[in-house]
Amino acid sequence: MKVSGTSNKKEEETAVASSVGVTEESGVLGTTRSKPGNDPGGGIDLLAALQLHNTTRQGVTQVPGLVRLKAAYYLQGEERELRLSEASFKRAAALLRRVPEFTIAAALRQEEANSGTIVAFSHGNNRYLELQSSGRKDELRLHYVSRRDGSVHVEAFPFRLADGAWHRVALSISGSQVELLVDCHPLYRRLLRPGPPDTNFTLPQLQLWIGQRNARHFLFKGALQDVKLVPGPHGYLSQCPQLDSSCPTCGQFSMLQNTVEQLMHNLNELTRRLAAAEGRINKVEECECQKSCRANGTVHEDGATWEKGCQQCSCVHGEIECRPTPCAPVTCKNPVIPQEQCCPICLKQCYLHGVIYDHGVKVSPKQCVECDCYDGSFTCQRFDTETRCPPLPCPPSEQISVAEECCKYCPGVDYCAKGHKCHANASCLNLQTTYACHCDIGFQGDGHNCHDVDECKQQGGSEGHHCNANTRCVNVIGSYTCECLPGYHRVDKFNCAELDECVTGHHTCDEHATCVNTAGSYYCVCKDGYAGDGHTCKPICNQTCQNGGECVAPGRCSCRRGYIGNSCELDLDECASDLHRCHRSSSCFNMPGWYYCRCKPGYRSALHDSTQGTQCLDIDECNDHTIERRHTCHPSAKCVNTEGGYACACPREDNNTEEECRLSCWFEDREVANGDTLAPAGNPCRRCTCNDGVITCREPICDCSLPGSRKDKCCPQCDPAASCRHQELHHLVFRSGERWIYQCQTCECLYGEIDCWQMECPPVTCSNPVTEDGDCCPRCEDDPCAREVTLNGTSLSVLSHPRPCSYAGIIHDSGSSWQDPHDKCTTCECKPLHFSVFTKKA
């Protein structure tokens, strides 16, 4: 649908009266002066921020505008740079970051067939937020980065702005809702399915441009005036104050919803607090406002303290709190707690032979006498050998007395077996009359207490380690081990030798890296043409692999099927290369990255267009009820239907006819003599010829090698001045009429100007299509157009699981092989594994 319109005089005067206000240009000066670009309504006048009235800019001329009291500027030529200052950009970014809804408004007069940007937040060719008008597609486009997925999306609104007339344009964004008004008429209100635009402006190096995306591309040609960023809802009222603004916007509704949710949260919080307060009040009422405490019939005032047993209790706001009575620390070994007391005390010490002993200590001052210290006094008693010594198996004549021992012993007794007090890491040794404890090897002590010896603290000797070079001593309980240093392997228990990881293969270098051995270690270096840390090396492509291509080798991109070129930047014309599957009754139409089949003139589709070859049925042009295609036979001749066409014939001479039969053509409501050639209305370059009543039309054949072909208006592709350069790959030059893919958009060169729009994706036949990194369109997992990965001369197309193969419209069983009908040098196999292999013959 194409829509166009102009604004009337009354609307213009109303808008001027409401939006201009008092300015210096009107001859009335206020008492204060705002910064250049500030709008009285809180917005930013982007044209004023450029300060074009104070400078002379290339390609910019001041002209009369739609609003008489404001300056308008006519933009032309291929060289200009209308980029706002960094301060103006930051002010605009802060404004959009602060509000949930805003409006981009402008008055403009765009030249016919021009495709140019009105306002753009961008960096180079990378779009962030951009309003654009295409005079070729007759549509307005909103380019934006979605806050939800971070990807660039395009919303297109069919309308013809590029008609050489003045228009007011206002695009209001409120959350995920966008509304377009042209000349104060609401045209579109849509929901942005990918989510609201991102206005955080976190992408680096963004710039704000007026009338262009960057210094070279999408240059707006025509006049601009009153280009504004207006914050808040209903920003279009700055252009059209008479419009209704009673209906809330999406942003207002969202704010209202958030306010209601906050009020509900506050209400719930107040309800909770009120319930807690009521509970406390009830407790106060139960206590009859008494804060004293009652215990065992005694009333204690609030704050009073008392002792109860060995506890100290206090009254705290009507509640009794008790804790153990605090005691002073004691330093003796055996403290005691006297009766009717709560804290331990130390009793008196004892003194014997110049030594002081604590209360409770037992000593033996002489053989077979045992003394106890009790509160400063020793109580001693003799050791009763009759009752306390064990019975002996040997006769009294063989019993032995040991010094400092009261009991006698028999010779040859296993004292260790009878019980000992040696440490767990010590050994018990029987002596003649007793036993002895010795710490095990690796431990030291008196045998009753043994601790580990750290042999790693010293080298050599009985208590040191014997690890040699290239090892590291590691202490363990009771011993030590010699660990090999990294890069060395074990020779014996104490020695290690260097290991060449590069020779033995004990390294983790990438297959595209070189292993370099060092003393005790190694390092990896990526080979030429690869980059990484050596353990992971990826190929380097100086060019950017486009359209889903992947860099698989230095300087080489593996392209998706449907694209060719060093950077996968060129479309593969399946139609011209005879790589399509269209039937003979249909024609192949190439698209960027794919193609589709359309029935030839004289046929109609039985099902739908597809890449498998449309099933086409013959059209009976001679049937008066046929609407797909009308015949051009003269009314005096008879139309005869043929397969894929028709013919015009005269009736037999014996038939009585009032009018002489003519084999001329009836075309565009007039008669065309047989053999004549003419140009159809609206297409002066096309040529249509009448041949026995049948009109046949053809497009012009352009031979750019002929002299004067560059001046032929019907062959713009022959004019070098009408060519275009690729946005990034500047060595690529496209002729007028050629198309390519860039940033998931279809771009076309037409008379030296580039226009890009959202690319059209091929249909998918699966229920769950996938989109891989670098892809612009969803694909089926077993799509034959998947990216090919070359490995040792074999191309692998990854599939999800084993299944029969579909190729060229024919189903092949798993394990079968056949010859590619389009490439006689290729044999295809449907492998029963998880991939299909295509091997080139020698």
Side-chain angles (χ1 to χ4, degrees):
M1 178 181 70
K2 294 185 179 180
V3 187
S4 64
T6 57
S7 55
N8 55 47
K9 183 80 171 178
K10 184 177 181 180
E11 287 178 352
E12 177 182 333
E13 293 174 351
T14 306
V16 170
S18 64
S19 63
V20 173
V22 177
T23 64
E24 293 185 61
E25 293 167 337
S26 65
V28 182
L29 297 176
T31 57
T32 60
R33 182 176 300 180
S34 61
K35 293 181 180 180
N38 281 358
D39 186 74
I44 299 178
D45 189 331
L46 301 179
L47 272 181
L50 283 171
Q51 301 184 22
L52 298 177
H53 59 282
N54 291 333
T55 60
T56 301
R57 300 281 188 99
Q58 184 177 0
V60 180
T61 307
Q62 186 168 344
V63 295
L66 182 63
V67 180
R68 291 189 300 273
L69 298 179
K70 284 200 171 183
Y73 298 94
Y74 189 79
L75 312 182
Q76 58 188 341
E78 305 297 331
E79 297 289 337
R80 65 169 181 266
E81 186 169 342
L82 298 183
R83 177 168 55 89
L84 272 72
S85 65
E86 183 69 17
S88 297
F89 164 76
K90 289 183 178 179
R91 192 163 73 248
L95 182 144
L96 298 184
R97 195 182 293 120
R98 188 174 62 248
V99 297
E101 46 192 333
F102 60 92
T103 299
I104 301 174
L108 56 87
R109 186 184 69 207
Q110 188 177 11
E111 294 181 1
E112 295 185 6
N114 169 250
S115 293
T117 294
I118 302 171
V119 176
F121 289 89
S122 62
H123 169 54
N125 284 298
N126 298 315
R127 301 153 288 161
Y128 185 75
L129 181 65
E130 177 179 355
L131 181 60
Q132 186 185 90
S133 172
S134 172
R136 300 185 202 167
K137 292 286 186 178
D138 286 335
E139 61 185 16
L140 269 81
R141 302 176 189 139
L142 172 65
H143 302 259
Y144 66 98
V145 172
S146 170
R147 188 184 306 168
R148 185 176 302 165
D149 59 13
S151 300
V152 179
H153 299 272
V154 182
E155 194 73 20
F157 306 92
F159 188 86
R160 187 171 183 238
L161 273 182
D163 58 0
W166 278 100
H167 295 283
R168 290 189 181 92
V169 179
L171 186 79
S172 297
I173 299 175
S174 179
S176 295
Q177 181 177 287
V178 59
E179 184 176 11
L180 175 65
L181 294 89
V182 178
D183 296 325
C184 298
H185 298 293
L187 298 183
Y188 297 97
R189 179 179 291 170
R190 293 180 183 173
L191 187 66
L192 300 177
R193 300 293 178 184
D198 179 29
T199 54
N200 291 323
F201 292 90
T202 55
L203 294 181
Q205 299 179 324
L206 284 176
Q207 298 174 329
L208 177 54
W209 297 81
I210 304 299
Q212 55 197 104
R213 176 182 294 175
N214 50 48
R216 293 180 176 272
H217 297 110
F218 292 99
L219 302 178
F220 180 91
K221 295 184 179 180
L224 286 176
Q225 183 185 37
D226 206 20
V227 182
K228 293 181 178 180
L229 282 179
V230 184
H234 308 297
Y236 53 79
L237 294 178
S238 63
Q239 285 185 339
C240 314
Q242 74 278 9
L243 291 182
D244 179 32
S245 61
S246 58
C247 183
T249 64
C250 185
Q252 289 176 316
F253 179 79
S254 178
M255 293 178 63
L256 178 62
Q257 187 178 29
N258 293 337
T259 302
V260 172
E261 290 178 356
Q262 185 63 38
L263 289 175
M264 290 297 296
H265 174 75
N266 294 342
L267 178 60
N268 293 335
E269 181 66 17
L270 288 175
T271 303
R272 185 187 65 80
R273 292 185 179 183
L274 180 60
E278 288 178 348
R280 289 195 295 270
I281 291 175
N282 290 336
K283 288 185 178 181
V284 172
E285 291 176 350
E286 290 176 0
C287 296
E288 299 179 355
C289 296
Q290 298 285 338
K291 291 187 177 182
S292 59
C293 302
R294 184 181 298 273
N296 298 326
T298 303
V299 177
H300 301 275
E301 297 295 329
D302 185 30
T305 60
W306 66 96
E307 291 188 358
K308 178 183 177 183
C310 288
Q311 289 185 322
Q312 282 190 349
C313 300
S314 58
C315 179
V316 181
H317 302 300
E319 298 287 341
I320 297 176
E321 296 180 357
C322 296
R323 61 178 58 87
T325 301
C327 296
V330 293
T331 59
C332 55
K333 293 182 180 180
N334 301 303
V336 295
I337 300 177
Q339 290 184 354
E340 298 182 358
Q341 293 189 22
C342 299
C343 294
I345 63 172
C346 293
L347 297 182
K348 298 177 182 178
Q349 296 175 321
C350 300
Y351 182 81
L352 180 64
H353 300 314
V355 180
I356 297 177
Y357 298 94
D358 282 342
H359 166 80
V361 173
K362 293 182 179 184
V363 296
S364 181
K366 60 182 180 178
Q367 186 176 2
C368 298
V369 175
E370 191 175 61
C371 300
D372 293 331
C373 178
Y374 183 83
D375 195 18
S377 300
F378 270 117
T379 302
C380 301
Q381 62 181 1
R382 189 167 185 81
F383 191 85
D384 187 2
T385 60
E386 297 293 334
T387 59
R388 300 182 62 176
C389 288
L392 299 177
C394 58
S397 61
E398 295 180 4
Q399 294 177 1
I400 302 172
S401 296
V402 179
E404 298 182 359
E405 292 288 342
C406 292
C407 297
K408 294 182 179 181
Y409 297 92
C410 290
V413 176
D414 188 353
Y415 301 101
C416 294
K418 287 187 174 184
H420 62 84
K421 298 181 180 179
C422 296
H423 192 266
N425 294 317
S427 299
C428 178
L429 301 177
N430 281 303
L431 301 178
Q432 185 175 7
T433 59
T434 184
Y435 67 90
C437 299
H438 293 277
C439 293
D440 295 337
I441 297 175
F443 297 90
Q444 61 184 5
D446 59 3
H448 299 282
N449 292 289
C450 301
H451 58 272
D452 176 59
V453 175
D454 188 353
E455 296 88 350
C456 296
K457 288 185 176 180
Q458 66 180 22
Q459 187 171 9
S462 59
E463 295 186 354
H465 71 87
H466 297 273
C467 297
N468 295 322
N470 306 325
T471 63
R472 180 171 63 91
C473 178
V474 178
N475 185 61
V476 295
I477 300 299
S479 184
Y480 66 93
T481 60
C482 302
E483 289 187 354
C484 292
L485 296 176
Y488 295 86
H489 68 280
R490 183 171 300 282
V491 176
D492 54 33
K493 184 177 179 180
F494 303 102
N495 296 280
C496 297
E498 183 183 357
L499 173 68
D500 191 339
E501 297 88 350
C502 299
V503 174
T504 59
H506 295 159
H507 62 83
T508 59
C509 297
D510 189 87
E511 62 176 331
H512 299 296
T514 301
C515 177
V516 181
N517 187 58
T518 61
S521 184
Y522 69 95
Y523 64 91
C524 309
V525 180
C526 290
K527 296 179 181 179
D528 292 341
Y530 293 87
D533 59 2
H535 301 279
T536 300
C537 298
K538 295 184 177 180
I540 300 174
C541 290
N542 295 326
Q543 74 279 24
T544 302
C545 298
Q546 303 185 20
N547 300 315
E550 182 181 7
C551 184
V552 295
R556 186 167 68 85
C557 297
S558 173
C559 302
R560 287 278 188 194
R561 290 189 182 178
Y563 296 96
I564 56 175
N566 188 43
S567 305
C568 306
E569 75 283 2
L570 301 176
D571 169 55
L572 172 62
D573 191 338
E574 294 89 350
C575 302
S577 304
D578 197 24
L579 297 176
H580 60 85
R581 305 171 189 173
C582 299
H583 293 173
R584 59 185 179 184
S585 59
S586 60
S587 299
C588 176
F589 282 82
N590 186 58
M591 297 289 289
W594 60 294
Y595 69 94
Y596 69 95
C597 305
R598 182 188 299 171
C599 291
K600 292 180 179 179
Y603 293 91
R604 62 178 176 83
S605 175
L607 299 173
H608 55 80
D609 292 343
S610 72
T611 59
Q612 301 298 321
T614 303
Q615 298 293 329
C616 300
L617 301 178
D618 174 60
I619 296 176
D620 186 358
E621 295 89 349
C622 301
N623 188 340
D624 292 337
H625 298 288
T626 301
I627 59 175
E628 292 97 337
R629 188 168 183 245
R630 299 288 188 182
H631 67 82
T632 58
C633 296
H634 191 271
S636 63
K638 180 181 180 181
C639 177
V640 180
N641 187 58
T642 61
E643 179 68 22
Y646 65 94
C648 303
C650 288
R652 295 182 179 179
E653 297 180 358
D654 54 359
N655 292 341
N656 296 323
T657 56
E658 298 180 358
E659 183 180 0
E660 180 184 358
C661 176
R662 294 200 293 268
L663 292 180
S664 56
C665 300
W666 193 258
F667 182 64
E668 294 183 344
D669 296 328
R670 62 190 180 99
E671 184 178 2
V672 179
N674 189 14
D676 283 0
T677 299
L678 76 162
N683 194 345
C685 294
R686 201 178 190 195
R687 290 293 179 264
C688 297
T689 302
C690 177
N691 185 15
D692 291 337
V694 178
I695 285 287
T696 304
C697 299
R698 60 179 177 84
E699 299 296 333
I701 300 176
C702 297
D703 185 356
C704 298
S705 63
L706 297 177
S709 59
R710 64 175 55 191
K711 297 182 180 180
D712 189 347
K713 295 183 177 180
C714 292
C715 297
Q717 60 266 37
C718 295
D719 185 4
S723 61
C724 308
R725 292 189 179 274
H726 191 276
Q727 292 94 324
E728 289 186 14
L729 308 174
H730 302 304
H731 64 281
L732 289 180
V733 179
F734 297 94
R735 294 180 177 181
S736 181
E738 288 188 320
R739 295 183 178 182
W740 65 97
I741 298 294
Y742 180 70
Q743 292 184 346
C744 294
Q745 298 179 101
T746 300
C747 298
E748 181 185 29
C749 176
L750 194 61
Y751 301 108
E753 289 190 0
I754 298 175
D755 190 21
C756 300
W757 56 91
Q758 199 71 10
M759 70 175 292
E760 183 180 359
C761 291
V764 292
T765 56
C766 56
S767 58
N768 296 310
V770 296
T771 303
E772 299 179 3
D773 292 340
D775 281 347
C776 296
C777 297
R779 298 176 181 272
C780 296
E781 289 186 333
D782 57 351
D783 185 3
C785 294
R787 184 189 299 116
E788 290 188 354
V789 180
T790 301
L791 183 62
N792 298 328
T794 302
S795 298
L796 304 180
S797 298
V798 179
L799 302 181
S800 57
H801 54 272
R803 61 177 64 181
C805 303
S806 173
Y807 189 72
I810 302 174
I811 301 297
H812 300 272
D813 292 332
S814 178
S816 62
S817 62
W818 66 96
Q819 190 176 45
D820 190 332
H822 304 303
D823 188 354
K824 304 304 180 183
C825 294
T826 299
T827 298
C828 305
E829 295 180 37
C830 186
K831 300 293 287 185
L833 301 175
H834 291 268
F835 52 84
S836 57
V837 182
F838 301 83
T839 306
K840 289 285 184 180
K841 288 182 178 179

